[in-house]
Amino acid sequence: MKLLKPSWVSHNGKPIFSVDIHPDGTKFATGGQGEDSGKVVIWNMAPVLREEDEKNMNIPKMLCQMDNHLACVNCVRWSNTGLYLASGGDDKLVMVWKRAAFIGPSTVFGSSSKLANVEQWRCVTILRNHTGDVMDVAWSPHDVWLASCSVDNTIVIWNARKFPEIVASLKGHTGLVKGLTWDPVGKYIASQADDHSLKVWRTMDWQQETNITKPFNECGGTTHVLRLSWSPDGQYLVSAHAMNNSGPTAQIIERDGWKTNMDFVGHRKAVTVVKFNPKIFKKKQRNGSSPKPSCPYCCCAVGSKDRSLSVWLTSLKRPLVVIHDLFDKSIMDISWTLNGLGILVCSMDGTVAYLNFSQDELGDPLNEDEKNAIHQNIYGKSLAITTEAQLSTTIIENPEMLKYQQERQRVEQANHRMTHEAQAHKLTSVVNGESLEDIRKNLLKKQVETRTADGRRRITPLCIAQLDTGDFSPALFNSVPILPGSASQLTSQLSSDSNTATSNLDPLSTPLGGKAPDDAKDGSASSLNTTATKSNLLLTTSTKMEPMKALDSRFTERSKVMPGVTISMATPSSEKEPCCVAAVPVAVLKLPTPTPQKAFTLQVSMEPPVYLEVENEVSAVSGAKLSQLRCSREGREWDTLLPSRVLTAAGSSDVVAVACADRMLSVFSACGRRLLPAILLPAPMSALHCSGFYVMLIFSSLYSTSPLLFLFPVFILSSSPLLGTECTVSQSLLTQQGVPVIGLSNGKSYCFNSSLETWNLIADKQDSLVQCADFKNCISSQDAPVSQGPLALTQGHNLNAGRLASRLSSTPHHLQHGMTLVFLENQLASALTLRSSTEYHYWLLIYARFLVTEGSDYRLRELCKDLLGPVHKSASSAWEPTTLGLRKRDLLRELLPVIGQNLRFQRLFTEYQDQLELLGNK
């Protein structure tokens, strides 16, 4: 164990009443008395952990100081996500703080020195309800609720997702309430007061579960705080300021029957604070020794008015360590690091102390899976807290809602009786009595394989008619990179029996839909330049494929002067005119590009006021760094995650657009739903603007003409934005709806959006959002399988791998929730762009179930509003009654039973059910 007292952590000699370490371990907060007000200070953790950082003058020690409280601050607590900091003080207020986008250091208000705030934290809400000093605040698991207690003898439960909404006010104490703690499995909250009692309240109905008084009957006098704590396994609740045989103790209360047979003894004066280590430990195995089964145990720190600190392991009868005279005055608060090896302690004397333990001293911490297994063994199914915990006693207002609830129970019972054999039944597509898999194997046997002089394999593709399966069949082979060579080599690669057709189109000068000028028909176009063969493109269509023919010599010359811009083209037959002609981009103007920033904030609309906040690389998952976009609008907030750094953002009252460093453009609705799959930009972006439902981009390189696409009957591809220099096309498809799809060797797949004339990203095998998305609980056994849809075929087995990874990963709940939401919206938008009605319907149901389960009000309401459309016809309305051949209102009718599963949304359910009944079959 190592002990450090950083002298630079100070409130200028004034008392420090509270300390709390940020969940990511990079900073900690202190709260206490300021010069003439309450003071909250955020400090850098690095100088505490490392001596070299403490000596480095370039590394700041204080990050931010907030003096908004009008009187002494008694408690500071970080939310479990680390996004918010709550503080409560003698001014009867609870303030919730949030970091603002980086706008540069600012001088601390009232400071005569050059003390600067390195980080900017702003008060986002002030909670007013208490009539006396606020003594303690506590966030519930998953940050659903925030609890505060006061000397007004009450505990207030705030809805942390809808500040300042009050969920409940718990009354029953007859003395000053000075401590709060949540049950880690979400069933209870406990409070301790000066009335010599400890009360446990149920979160289901906010009623009292038990009232414990016996250990406190002998207590005389009082303490400034009574900070109690719940063990991470949920089995023990330990109180402050108890007495046993006239000696001060920390009372151990067993969850099973609320028995009070054990306590922590040894302190000479009253115990003020108890804090359990967030980790559960097991005995450390010695090197070379065989692993032996051992009982998991917990670690607890106890602070007292006698200025000493004791650390206990529940596996030992005596304390692990006792430190006497650690401070000059009473210990006020304790906070553990998330890894369980460090602890910060603060005192009324205005100082803090840091203790660092080793695993040899505490043991090996259990991982999240092992911790969850313990919860399941003790409590059955994990009791992870949800916003609907209190809804079991909610009155059902609508008989239709009652019917859906009863139907849901009946279906669940029926599903439970289903045999494993029926659940495991695998559907296989069959054509003329032969499975698709057998057809593929037989076709692969017939393919012609040759080897070149340098030993490279060459496979002659087979032109196969579309299988009449009622669904889409994938390409049956992967492309081989096409090396520079003759035109005849390239032609034989594509087709050996295709009809030849000559075309001398000039991509630069031919008007859209027009004919080539006479001066384009020269002999120099009779051979294919090697530059054009580097695109490595393989085309597969359900019609006959035309061989790639000669291009105008001016095209290849321009390709030489523009590195990286290569085009591979298949020309249309003479019977049908193409809808547009490909044009090679020629740069005529250069504009500056946005400089990447760590974070920034924008106001994108004045009426209503809409703010965008961007934080790049806020967290890392599976080796990838994620960026976060947050939108605030009239007191409502939504956020989403992006797999790349955000360069710039823009928005209006209707849409929000974001351009990323990977040259992807994402567009979201006013409530945060993704409207399109990410759009691949043909060039680096210079400026981004939004107005109403319109989005405008200005590229850093402006072109005289834009690369377009042949869709009828075959297509061309401008390869440079997709392929780059180290990428090859590994798969190419043309769906039954005529949507071109290509898969690249870097694991990314794109489809062409003909309405926007853009390439949209629909799959990325390296995407961490896929790896950590967990939606298995939203899949119904009655859902029709979509394994043969174009989206499923493009993404392959990536989804199964993602679900498996999500079960094994230790991704924080809030992060996994955000990643799952982003992934499902990507799937929905991709299915829509691919025009795959079956997959769109499948992912819409899963998305709706996820929104209902997670209580996402705004997104769910916006989805219902979009499906319902305008009730009265209007000439100005652009709403379409169908999507991909599916009637939107029929889809809404199908979603209503899903919404009806959650009593929280019964009014939303009733509202849209009534609207549908009024509309009838319209």
Side-chain angles (χ1 to χ4, degrees):
M1 185 195 77
K2 296 179 181 179
L3 173 63
L4 170 69
K5 291 194 71 174
S7 59
W8 45 268
V9 179
S10 170
H11 284 204
N12 296 327
K14 298 292 193 296
I16 297 178
F17 288 112
S18 186
V19 64
D20 200 36
I21 301 174
H22 193 277
D24 67 8
T26 61
K27 57 178 73 83
F28 65 96
T30 58
Q33 183 66 52
E35 295 300 329
D36 53 2
S37 64
K39 180 186 288 189
V40 177
V41 185
I42 298 175
W43 308 88
N44 190 354
M45 196 70 183
V48 176
L49 301 176
R50 292 175 291 275
E51 185 178 359
E52 58 271 23
D53 289 345
E54 186 178 19
K55 295 178 179 178
N56 190 339
M57 300 303 294
N58 294 323
I59 296 179
K61 294 180 174 62
M62 192 193 78
L63 301 180
C64 188
Q65 177 177 316
M66 298 92 86
D67 301 317
N68 298 39
H69 277 281
L70 302 177
C72 178
V73 175
N74 295 312
C75 187
V76 289
R77 292 290 182 263
W78 295 102
S79 62
N80 295 284
T81 63
L83 185 62
Y84 297 102
L85 174 69
S87 60
D90 287 351
D91 54 4
K92 310 172 188 177
L93 303 177
V94 176
M95 294 188 181
V96 180
W97 307 83
K98 180 183 175 186
R99 187 177 178 183
F102 183 78
I103 56 176
S106 62
T107 303
V108 176
F109 180 78
S111 173
S112 58
S113 64
K114 296 182 179 179
L115 201 59
N117 284 333
V118 179
E119 297 181 351
Q120 306 300 320
W121 287 79
R122 58 186 173 93
C123 181
V124 293
T125 188
I126 299 177
L127 306 178
R128 296 179 173 90
N129 185 263
H130 289 292
T131 57
D133 303 353
V134 177
M135 299 304 297
D136 202 3
V137 293
W139 296 88
S140 71
H142 305 331
D143 299 332
V144 178
W145 299 305
L146 175 66
S148 61
C149 65
S150 168
V151 299
D152 62 9
N153 304 352
T154 66
I155 301 111
V156 176
I157 310 296
W158 309 86
N159 186 343
R161 296 181 177 177
K162 289 184 178 180
F163 286 133
E165 179 183 303
I166 295 177
V167 177
S169 182
L170 311 183
K171 300 178 181 179
H173 281 291
T174 58
L176 318 183
V177 187
K178 296 182 176 180
L180 291 170
T181 184
W182 289 90
D183 164 22
V185 293
K187 197 172 182 180
Y188 304 110
I189 180 175
S191 59
Q192 189 171 353
D194 271 350
D195 58 6
H196 298 173
S197 75
L198 184 153
K199 297 182 185 295
V200 179
W201 313 79
R202 294 187 296 269
T203 59
M204 181 181 295
D205 54 7
W206 303 113
Q207 298 302 308
Q208 184 176 296
E209 169 74 12
T210 188
N211 182 34
I212 300 167
T213 58
K214 184 179 178 181
F216 315 107
N217 289 335
E218 299 180 31
C219 294
T222 184
T223 59
H224 185 81
V225 291
L226 294 168
R227 304 198 197 276
L228 64 169
S229 183
W230 219 304
S231 65
D233 60 4
Q235 286 292 82
Y236 301 103
L237 172 62
V238 179
S239 78
H241 196 22
M243 296 289 285
N244 186 357
N245 293 327
S246 302
T249 68
Q251 184 64 49
I252 301 173
I253 302 164
E254 297 180 57
R255 186 192 191 99
D256 183 13
W258 310 112
K259 297 189 289 285
T260 57
N261 300 325
M262 299 179 290
D263 46 22
F264 294 130
V265 300
H267 285 280
R268 301 184 301 274
K269 293 185 180 180
V271 171
T272 54
V273 55
V274 176
K275 191 71 171 182
F276 267 98
N277 191 309
K279 293 292 186 180
I280 302 175
F281 294 91
K282 59 184 176 182
K283 190 173 181 180
K284 187 170 181 61
Q285 300 295 328
R286 300 297 177 187
N287 292 336
S289 64
S290 58
K292 297 178 181 178
S294 61
C295 237
Y297 55 87
C298 300
C299 176
C300 182
V302 179
S304 168
K305 288 180 71 175
D306 63 8
R307 302 171 295 148
S308 65
L309 176 78
S310 60
V311 179
W312 301 73
L313 301 180
T314 56
S315 60
L316 302 177
K317 294 182 179 180
R318 294 182 178 275
L320 178 69
V321 63
V322 179
I323 305 174
H324 295 286
D325 301 325
L326 184 57
F327 299 100
D328 294 331
K329 293 184 180 180
S330 172
I331 291 177
M332 300 305 297
D333 204 1
I334 298 171
S335 178
W336 289 90
T337 57
L338 201 60
N339 65 11
L341 299 179
I343 183 172
L344 268 176
V345 189
C346 71
S347 168
M348 194 179 285
D349 66 8
T351 63
V352 302
Y354 177 73
L355 284 75
N356 186 43
F357 294 92
S358 67
Q359 288 191 11
D360 289 331
E361 294 167 323
L362 298 184
D364 290 327
L366 303 186
N367 58 38
E368 287 301 312
D369 286 341
E370 292 172 320
K371 188 174 176 180
N372 290 336
I374 289 177
H375 284 179
Q376 291 185 11
N377 289 336
I378 298 174
Y379 311 106
K381 188 177 180 181
S382 179
L383 296 176
I385 202 166
T386 65
T387 52
E388 281 68 48
Q390 73 273 26
L391 289 178
S392 60
T393 57
T394 301
I395 297 174
I396 298 180
E397 303 172 0
N398 186 347
E400 287 296 320
M401 175 66 75
L402 178 61
K403 183 181 75 173
Y404 279 117
Q405 291 286 322
Q406 293 171 342
E407 178 66 17
R408 178 191 175 195
Q409 293 177 1
R410 186 190 66 79
V411 171
E412 287 178 352
Q413 292 172 356
N415 290 342
H416 185 69
R417 291 193 298 267
M418 289 178 62
T419 63
H420 295 290
E421 180 182 356
Q423 292 175 346
H425 179 67
K426 184 176 180 181
L427 296 176
T428 307
S429 299
V430 176
V431 181
N432 297 330
E434 189 176 10
S435 71
L436 292 180
E437 189 62 32
D438 291 338
I439 293 176
R440 291 189 183 97
K441 290 179 180 177
N442 292 334
L443 289 171
L444 290 174
K445 292 177 183 177
K446 299 176 183 178
Q447 70 182 16
V448 179
E449 179 178 332
T450 59
R451 289 192 178 270
T452 61
D454 58 358
R456 295 177 180 266
R457 297 173 63 224
R458 285 286 182 269
I459 299 175
T460 303
L462 301 175
C463 186
I464 302 166
Q466 187 77 18
L467 296 176
D468 187 15
T469 63
D471 211 329
F472 177 71
S473 299
L476 303 181
F477 48 84
N478 293 332
S479 68
V480 178
I482 303 175
L483 300 176
S486 66
S488 61
Q489 269 186 315
L490 184 61
T491 303
S492 63
Q493 284 268 316
L494 285 170
S495 177
S496 58
D497 59 351
S498 300
N499 296 326
T500 58
T502 59
S503 176
N504 293 317
L505 296 177
D506 182 356
L508 295 177
S509 56
T510 305
L512 296 181
K515 296 182 180 180
D518 294 336
D519 60 0
K521 301 176 183 178
D522 54 32
S524 63
S526 61
S527 63
L528 183 67
N529 188 282
T530 58
T531 308
T533 67
K534 294 181 180 178
S535 63
N536 305 328
L537 174 68
L538 180 65
L539 304 177
T540 308
T541 68
S542 58
T543 59
K544 282 190 175 183
M545 293 185 292
E546 298 293 339
M548 302 182 72
K549 281 298 180 181
L551 303 179
D552 191 284
S553 60
R554 286 171 292 178
F555 162 70
T556 56
E557 288 168 5
R558 290 191 183 273
S559 294
K560 292 175 184 176
V561 300
M562 293 183 62
V565 178
T566 58
I567 289 189
S568 177
M569 181 171 75
T571 60
S573 63
S574 58
E575 297 176 4
K576 298 177 180 179
E577 289 292 330
C579 59
C580 55
V581 177
V584 178
V586 181
V588 296
L589 181 63
K590 285 283 186 179
L591 297 176
T593 58
T595 303
Q597 302 177 67
K598 176 62 179 175
F600 59 89
T601 249
L602 298 169
Q603 181 173 2
V604 296
S605 174
M606 299 294 290
E607 187 60 41
V610 179
Y611 295 88
L612 299 181
E613 291 185 21
V614 171
E615 290 186 76
N616 284 317
E617 300 179 353
V618 292
S619 56
V621 176
S622 301
K625 293 182 178 179
L626 301 176
S627 298
Q628 187 173 50
L629 167 70
R630 187 173 294 106
C631 178
S632 303
R633 172 186 173 131
E634 296 179 316
R636 296 183 301 176
E637 267 193 4
W638 59 262
D639 58 75
T640 190
L641 297 169
L642 296 154
S644 177
R645 290 171 63 92
V646 176
L647 293 180
T648 188
S652 66
S653 58
D654 300 306
V655 295
V656 172
V658 173
C660 295
D662 57 358
R663 281 172 50 183
M664 288 292 178
L665 175 73
S666 296
V667 183
F668 303 93
S669 71
C671 290
R673 288 192 304 132
R674 179 176 282 276
L675 299 179
L676 296 164
I679 298 173
L680 178 68
L681 302 179
M685 186 271 316
S686 178
L688 179 65
H689 303 282
C690 291
S691 177
F693 287 96
Y694 295 94
V695 178
M696 182 181 82
L697 291 97
I698 300 177
F699 299 114
S700 60
S701 299
L702 297 182
Y703 297 103
S704 58
T705 54
S706 301
L708 300 178
L709 183 79
F710 275 115
L711 282 179
F712 186 65
V714 292
F715 69 95
I716 67 168
L717 167 67
S718 175
S719 62
S720 62
L722 295 175
L723 299 181
T725 57
E726 300 179 357
C727 241
T728 58
V729 175
S730 59
Q731 185 185 32
S732 57
L733 316 170
L734 186 64
T735 71
Q736 288 181 329
Q737 289 74 28
V739 180
V741 179
I742 66 165
L744 305 184
S745 59
N746 62 4
K748 295 184 178 182
S749 298
Y750 300 85
C751 72
F752 189 78
N753 188 327
S754 57
S755 60
L756 296 176
E757 295 185 342
T758 58
W759 286 98
N760 292 39
L761 180 68
I762 58 173
D764 184 356
K765 294 183 178 179
Q766 306 301 321
D767 191 354
S768 56
L769 297 176
V770 179
Q771 301 303 324
C772 292
D774 186 7
F775 50 89
K776 57 183 179 296
N777 293 330
C778 300
I779 299 176
S780 170
S781 57
Q782 299 176 349
D783 290 341
V786 291
S787 57
Q788 293 300 310
L791 183 58
L793 291 171
T794 303
Q795 294 175 335
H797 300 290
N798 210 25
L799 293 186
N800 292 330
R803 288 197 289 269
L804 177 62
S806 69
R807 289 194 292 268
L808 299 178
S809 69
S810 57
T811 307
H813 173 84
H814 74 279
L815 189 57
Q816 190 175 75
H817 165 267
M819 297 174 80
T820 304
L821 186 62
V822 172
F823 169 76
L824 292 178
E825 290 180 348
N826 284 342
Q827 293 295 97
L828 202 59
S830 297
L832 193 61
T833 304
L834 284 168
R835 304 177 196 165
S836 175
S837 58
T838 304
E839 290 178 302
Y840 177 79
H841 178 263
Y842 174 80
W843 288 109
L844 179 66
L845 287 174
I846 293 177
Y847 178 58
R849 291 185 193 119
F850 184 79
L851 294 181
V852 169
T853 302
E854 297 295 328
S856 300
D857 303 42
Y858 304 135
R859 279 179 165 92
L860 186 61
R861 179 171 288 277
E862 186 183 58
L863 177 64
C864 293
K865 183 179 179 181
D866 179 58
L867 293 176
L868 180 69
V871 178
H872 305 287
K873 291 184 178 179
S874 171
S876 61
S877 173
W879 182 78
E880 294 291 337
T882 62
T883 180
L884 304 180
L886 304 171
R887 294 185 74 242
K888 290 184 178 179
R889 287 171 181 167
D890 288 343
L891 293 175
L892 180 57
R893 290 186 179 93
E894 196 171 351
L895 294 188
L896 280 180
V898 176
I899 300 172
Q901 293 175 6
N902 190 333
L903 292 181
R904 174 177 178 176
F905 297 117
Q906 59 176 310
R907 294 187 179 178
L908 179 70
F909 170 89
T910 303
E911 175 186 341
Y912 281 93
Q913 185 192 48
D914 291 346
Q915 295 277 18
L916 287 174
E917 287 179 356
L918 288 173
L919 291 169
N921 293 322
K922 294 182 181 178

